[in-house]
Amino acid sequence: SSAHAQTLAPDRPPPSLASSARRQLGRSCGAASESARACRSSRGPGEMARAEANWERLVRAALRGDRMGGVYGVPASGIAGNVPSSLGNNTHIDEVLRAADEIQDEDPTVARILCEHAYALAQNLDPNSEGRGVLQFKTGLMSVIRQKLAKREGGAIDRSQDIAKLQEFYKLYRERHKVDELCDDEMKLRESGVFSGNLGELERKTLKRKKVLATLKVLWSVIEDITKEISPEDAANLISEEMKKVMQKDAARTEDVVAYNIIPLDSLSTTNLIVTFPEVRAAISSLQYHRDLPRLPNTISVPDARNSDMLDLLHCVFGFQKDNVSNQREHIVHLLANEQSRLGKLSGNEPKIDEGAVHVVFSKSLDNYIKWCNYLPLRPVWNNIESLTKEKKLLYVCLYYLIWGEAANVRFLPEGLCYIFHHLARELEVIMQKQTAEPAGSCISNDGVSFLDQVIYPLYEIVAAEAGNNDNGRAAHSAWRNYDDFNEFFW
């Protein structure tokens, strides 16, 4: 973690925090000493020395983290460190002022524009300066703005040129810090594994990347806010679509590295060669959006690293959890790629998954559902399995695994999952007839769309309540119902 990496380079608390830090460190080390005396009888002196040293490093890292200035890695100073807590959106104001401090030496004019924007944000949040410390903060910030104006070569401020100046500085700042190269270098180091012996190098690269991208994100947010004050036509003339895409891409990069298991589907990778395997590429391609699916609403965003796919549609319709969708996307790609590898290697620049591989995955995944339908008897959601297209089979596979991935203890009711799949698939068939995808009625809640809240949680509550009647395993089986009893209800 970053806190652990920070302990590799001990530093001294700033004077304003020195006495407080010493007191906290003293209390923490005192606690460590008590712990050491309590377990000294069971551990050797060498191990105890290491434990105390590690504890002291952790305390120092915690103190250092308290005074570190976020992604900029420096203590908050000047007006940026004195944003009143009474301002509801003080975090964004603080970010803008920190960026102004960061670029002051490079371009005082741009720093002045950022300070003025921060003042406007504060004024909008508390126009009458009624909050504690707001009047002093505004007065101090206005003083800083006047000082920055005094350093200019005279002349009135042309506010209409602020957007152009910010955009031009954005380009220069991006080129000066080689943003693309900076991100690629960090990713190569992170994925190569060679940093394990030198965590400090990775930490420095990560901190620099966050620092640069945080400044770019502030510049982009200020440009967005200022463009709202002018007409859309003027804004379109000032900012090209190409530049807007670059800024949006950089803003998305400020998020930390996207986690994945084996295949990086939601994040760009420069060293993980598994994404170049023909079977993997074919599997990813087979899940992509196609013309028979309804359009996704504009509220659904997709990472730049990939195209929209079937799982994005199901996420939109049933409100599956984001991480569940990411996990099952990778899971299904693995299933398809593995089955394709058994059938033979693919060739060509755009490999296509074999129909046979899709059918095998479909048959194995929905085998229990097919048996369940035959036993009841009940007609499956499809009329004839032979008439199912490859895309429809994959859509059903995706839906089944998304249900399974979020089912919690309801997984122990396999026929219960068949029941849920059957009704959600029927609901999906109706939504598929629409031009634009919309939430399923079964999963709509007061807080939005959630399969977990509306489908799984009620079942879980009933099973959990019944488990409470077993008297910690001492009650007779006839006195309470277990998973098998509940599962029997569904067949």
Side-chain angles (χ1 to χ4, degrees), residues 16-17 26 29 63 88 113 138 147 190 228 252 266 274 281 299 356-357 389 410-411 414 427 461:
S16 59
L17 292 175
C29 290
L63 294 177
I113 295 172
K138 287 183 181 179
Q147 290 176 12
R190 188 179 294 277
K228 294 175 184 177
D266 288 337
I274 193 170
R281 289 165 53 203
T299 54
T389 63
V410 180
R411 291 178 188 169
E427 204 169 5
E461 286 265 89

Side-chain angles (χ1 to χ4, degrees), residues 175-207:
E175 293 171 0
R176 188 179 299 119
H177 292 278
K178 302 178 181 177
V179 171
D180 294 326
E181 184 178 328
L182 181 66
C183 295
D184 289 344
D185 287 347
E186 184 201 356
M187 183 63 73
K188 288 178 181 177
L189 180 62
R190 188 179 294 277
E191 293 189 346
S192 66
V194 299
F195 69 85
S196 56
N198 188 4
L199 287 172
E201 182 182 356
L202 177 63
E203 180 68 15
R204 283 191 296 273
K205 285 185 178 293
T206 301
L207 184 60

Side-chain angles (χ1 to χ4, degrees), residues 193-242:
V194 299
F195 69 85
S196 56
N198 188 4
L199 287 172
E201 182 182 356
L202 177 63
E203 180 68 15
R204 283 191 296 273
K205 285 185 178 293
T206 301
L207 184 60
K208 183 178 179 182
R209 186 256 305 171
K210 288 185 176 183
K211 180 179 175 182
V212 171
L213 290 177
T215 300
L216 291 176
K217 186 175 183 179
V218 168
L219 291 170
W220 166 232
S221 68
V222 174
I223 290 173
E224 273 192 314
D225 289 343
I226 296 178
T227 51
K228 294 175 184 177
E229 302 173 8
I230 62 177
S231 66
E233 294 78 14
D234 292 340
N237 293 331
L238 286 170
I239 306 176
S240 65
E241 284 298 321
E242 182 182 358

Side-chain angles (χ1 to χ4, degrees), residues 27-330:
R27 286 195 295 269
S28 302
C29 290
S33 300
E34 289 298 324
S35 301
R37 285 193 291 271
C39 61
R40 191 166 285 148
S41 58
S42 60
R43 296 186 178 182
E47 188 173 353
M48 284 311 309
R50 285 195 300 273
E52 290 186 13
N54 287 339
W55 180 258
E56 186 172 342
R57 290 169 67 196
L58 284 173
V59 172
R60 186 178 292 115
L63 294 177
R64 189 168 185 243
D66 286 340
R67 64 176 183 274
M68 289 294 280
V71 296
Y72 289 101
V74 294
S77 61
I79 196 71
N82 293 282
V83 182
S85 59
S86 56
L87 290 174
N89 195 25
N90 64 325
T91 303
H92 183 52
I93 297 174
D94 186 73
E95 290 172 351
V96 173
L97 292 174
R98 286 173 183 271
D101 285 346
E102 177 70 19
I103 63 179
Q104 167 62 34
D105 295 336
E106 296 186 52
D107 196 321
T109 301
V110 174
R112 182 264 305 168
I113 295 172
L114 295 184
C115 287
E116 289 176 343
H117 184 69
Y119 184 90
L121 291 174
Q123 184 67 14
N124 291 335
L125 289 169
D126 191 351
N128 297 323
S129 302
E130 296 174 347
R132 183 175 181 178
V134 174
L135 180 60
Q136 294 89 331
F137 169 73
K138 287 183 181 179
T139 304
L141 183 53
M142 184 54 68
S143 175
V144 171
I145 293 172
R146 289 196 185 101
Q147 290 176 12
K148 293 181 185 297
L149 289 173
K151 293 177 182 178
R152 298 174 74 246
E153 296 178 356
I157 303 172
D158 185 1
R159 296 290 292 175
S160 63
Q161 296 299 315
D162 284 355
I163 297 175
K165 290 175 182 176
L166 287 170
Q167 185 177 193
E168 184 61 28
F169 179 77
Y170 190 104
K171 294 177 183 176
L172 294 174
Y173 188 86
R174 197 178 189 279
E175 293 171 0
R176 188 179 299 119
H177 292 278
K178 302 178 181 177
V179 171
D180 294 326
E181 184 178 328
L182 181 66
C183 295
D184 289 344
D185 287 347
E186 184 201 356
M187 183 63 73
K188 288 178 181 177
L189 180 62
R190 188 179 294 277
E191 293 189 346
S192 66
V194 299
F195 69 85
S196 56
N198 188 4
L199 287 172
E201 182 182 356
L202 177 63
E203 180 68 15
R204 283 191 296 273
K205 285 185 178 293
T206 301
L207 184 60
K208 183 178 179 182
R209 186 256 305 171
K210 288 185 176 183
K211 180 179 175 182
V212 171
L213 290 177
T215 300
L216 291 176
K217 186 175 183 179
V218 168
L219 291 170
W220 166 232
S221 68
V222 174
I223 290 173
E224 273 192 314
D225 289 343
I226 296 178
T227 51
K228 294 175 184 177
E229 302 173 8
I230 62 177
S231 66
E233 294 78 14
D234 292 340
N237 293 331
L238 286 170
I239 306 176
S240 65
E241 284 298 321
E242 182 182 358
M243 190 62 195
K244 188 181 293 186
K245 289 180 180 179
V246 171
M247 292 178 176
Q248 291 171 341
K249 181 180 178 181
D250 289 341
R253 278 173 159 176
T254 57
E255 301 296 330
D256 280 333
V257 179
V258 179
Y260 66 91
N261 298 308
I262 298 175
I263 307 176
L265 298 175
D266 288 337
S267 60
L268 297 171
S269 176
T270 56
T271 59
N272 195 328
L273 295 180
I274 193 170
V275 294
T276 64
F277 292 177
E279 299 90 342
V280 174
R281 289 165 53 203
I284 295 171
S285 176
S286 67
L287 297 178
Q288 288 185 1
Y289 232 77
H290 54 84
R291 63 177 179 272
D292 294 332
L293 299 177
R295 291 192 304 269
L296 283 175
N298 295 331
T299 54
I300 301 297
S301 61
V302 177
D304 292 334
R306 63 173 180 83
N307 297 318
S308 56
D309 59 20
M310 299 177 185
L311 288 98
D312 292 315
L313 171 68
L314 298 173
H315 171 60
C316 165
V317 172
F318 298 109
F320 293 110
Q321 295 178 91
K322 179 181 176 182
D323 288 338
N324 176 38
V325 175
S326 296
N327 283 332
Q328 297 311 322
R329 177 179 289 109
E330 188 173 345

Side-chain angles (χ1 to χ4, degrees), residues 265 326-336 401 404:
L265 298 175
S326 296
N327 283 332
Q328 297 311 322
R329 177 179 289 109
E330 188 173 345
H331 176 204
I332 295 166
V333 167
H334 273 292
L335 293 177
L336 293 169
Y401 279 117
W404 179 88

Side-chain angles (χ1 to χ4, degrees), residues 317-318 427-428 431 438-445 448-450 454-455:
V317 172
F318 298 109
E427 204 169 5
L428 179 63
I431 295 173
E438 59 185 41
S442 62
C443 298
I444 294 178
S445 65
V449 188
S450 174
Q454 298 300 106
V455 179

